[in-house]
Amino acid sequence: MISGEIALYLFMLAAFTGHEIISRVPVILHTPLMSGSNFVHGIVLVGAMITLGEATTVTQQVIGFIGVFLGAGNAAGGYVVTERMLEMFKSSKKEGAK
């Protein structure tokens, strides 16, 4: 079992590292990375659901529910954004043109 101090340290380290990595991604790579990260969001969602299922206290259940809710929203939003970005790259055909 990980102690609270270590868990908080790991969370802060992950948040800082994630922010640094994402902020340095060029705009042209955003769409391919988003579609790849949607897979990771799905794994996070499954992990949050498993954690919620193992929760025993009300606090754990509330945090687990928030995790599932935010994970589901993040995964769904990622797919919507990726779809919109891919639509921008499709060629538009005019009516009557051959």
Side-chain angles (χ1 to χ4, degrees):
M1 184 86 182
I2 297 176
S3 71
E5 288 179 3
I6 294 174
L8 180 61
Y9 175 73
L10 288 175
F11 175 76
M12 290 176 11
L13 183 62
F16 176 75
T17 304
H19 180 268
E20 287 298 313
I21 290 171
I22 295 300
S23 65
R24 295 173 189 210
V25 172
V27 175
I28 192 76
L29 293 177
H30 180 73
T31 300
L33 287 177
M34 274 299 294
S35 84
S37 69
N38 286 336
F39 172 73
V40 175
H41 295 281
I43 293 172
V44 168
L45 180 58
V46 170
M49 290 168 39
I50 291 171
T51 303
L52 178 59
E54 298 290 324
T56 55
T57 67
V58 174
T59 304
Q60 291 173 344
Q61 291 172 346
V62 168
I63 292 172
F65 176 77
I66 292 170
V68 170
F69 181 75
L70 293 176
N74 202 4
Y79 283 111
V80 169
V81 168
T82 300
E83 187 63 31
R84 283 186 179 178
M85 292 292 286
L86 291 175
E87 287 291 323
M88 292 173 54
F89 293 105
K90 289 184 180 179
S91 63
S92 60
K93 296 182 180 178
K94 295 181 181 179
E95 290 184 33
K98 290 185 179 182

